[in-house]
């Protein structure tokens, strides 16, 4: 799925431009570990990406990346956080700050442990870029080799009870839902 989020008044912009808190939630069933990185969510184009959720080469960990002018925010789960050939529900909540520890990843409702945490430094790079789900905005490279289902984007942080509700009944929490 590809979305042009640059349109004025687009409800995706609140969560997608770093203007405040956000929650990303989705079901994922990857079939293989990618040779490079597989993009689950990308806002931006190529090296100019302002937001990324991806799982990495050689080890199935999950990365949450926000582009800042000096140092990029990075939150990386431990290796083997992403399970191959198994459907799992993943969620990432972020308060919109430069503090990477304020981004929390969940797998089936259980908070992750982390291999890397780097705070963002400088100005958040906000531009009306395109959004891609399941592949890179520069084309079909870095696509997910597997399946992604019921992708949610909220303009707020969902509680654990709300995450559990959308895990069991996708789309059932409408408040703050920007993309489903």
């Amino acid at each position: 799925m590809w979305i042009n989020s640059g349109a004025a008044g687009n409800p995706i912009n609140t969560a997608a431009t770093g203007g405040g808190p956000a929650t990303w939630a989705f079901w994922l069933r990857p079939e293989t570990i990618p040779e490079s990185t597989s993009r689950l969510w990308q806002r931006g184009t190529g090296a100019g990406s302002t937001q990324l959720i991806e799982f990495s080469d050689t080890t199935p960990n999950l990365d949450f990346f926000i582009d800042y002018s000096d140092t990029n925010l990075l939150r990386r789960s431990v290796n083997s956080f992403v399970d191959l050939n198994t459907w799992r529900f993943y969620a990432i909540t972020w308060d919109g700050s430069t503090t990477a520890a304020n981004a929390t990843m969940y797998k089936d409702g259980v908070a992750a442990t982390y291999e890397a945490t780097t705070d963002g430094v400088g100005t958040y790079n906000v531009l009306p870029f395109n959004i891609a789900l399941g592949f890179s905005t520069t084309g079909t490279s870095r696509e997910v080799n597997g399946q992604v289902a019921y992708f949610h984007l909220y303009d707020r942080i969902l509680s654990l009870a709300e995450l559990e509700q959308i895990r069991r009944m996708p789309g059932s929490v409408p408040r703050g839902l920007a993309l489903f």
Side-chain angles (χ1 to χ4, degrees):
M1 176 189 297
W2 178 86
I3 300 159
N4 179 355
S5 66
N10 188 324
I12 295 170
N13 279 337
T14 302
T17 60
T23 298
W24 295 261
F26 50 91
W27 283 89
L28 175 65
R29 184 187 180 275
E31 295 174 2
T32 60
I33 297 173
E35 293 178 16
S36 180
T37 53
S38 289
R39 301 271 165 91
L40 299 166
W41 164 269
Q42 181 178 0
R43 181 173 190 277
T45 54
S49 297
T50 58
Q51 297 176 344
L52 291 173
I53 300 172
E54 59 188 16
F55 60 99
S56 299
D57 51 351
T58 68
T59 58
N61 56 4
L62 198 62
D63 289 351
F64 176 69
F65 168 92
I66 302 291
D67 186 30
Y68 284 91
S69 58
D70 298 325
T71 303
N72 297 326
L73 181 148
L74 172 68
R75 190 77 151 148
R76 175 174 292 147
S77 72
V78 295
N79 295 342
S80 302
F81 183 67
V82 175
D83 296 324
L84 298 179
N85 299 306
T86 304
W87 279 107
R88 297 285 187 207
F89 177 75
Y90 295 91
I92 299 171
T93 61
W94 176 52
D95 69 356
S97 75
T98 59
T99 305
N102 292 342
T104 304
M105 296 180 189
Y106 299 92
K107 178 172 73 175
D108 293 333
V110 178
T113 53
Y114 302 96
E115 166 181 300
T117 300
T118 304
D119 291 341
V121 177
T123 305
Y124 178 75
N125 293 323
V126 179
L127 296 170
F129 283 143
N130 300 323
I131 291 174
L133 298 176
F135 64 93
S136 172
T137 57
T138 58
T140 58
S141 65
R142 299 184 182 210
E143 67 272 1
V144 173
N145 185 12
Q147 300 165 325
V148 180
Y150 304 117
F151 194 97
H152 299 70
L153 171 62
Y154 288 86
D155 65 1
R156 64 187 184 88
I157 294 177
L158 269 61
S159 69
L160 289 175
E162 290 171 316
L163 289 174
E164 179 62 17
Q165 181 176 332
I166 63 171
R167 183 174 83 87
R168 294 183 182 276
M169 296 174 292
S172 64
V173 177
R175 188 170 70 85
L177 184 61
L179 173 71
F180 175 62

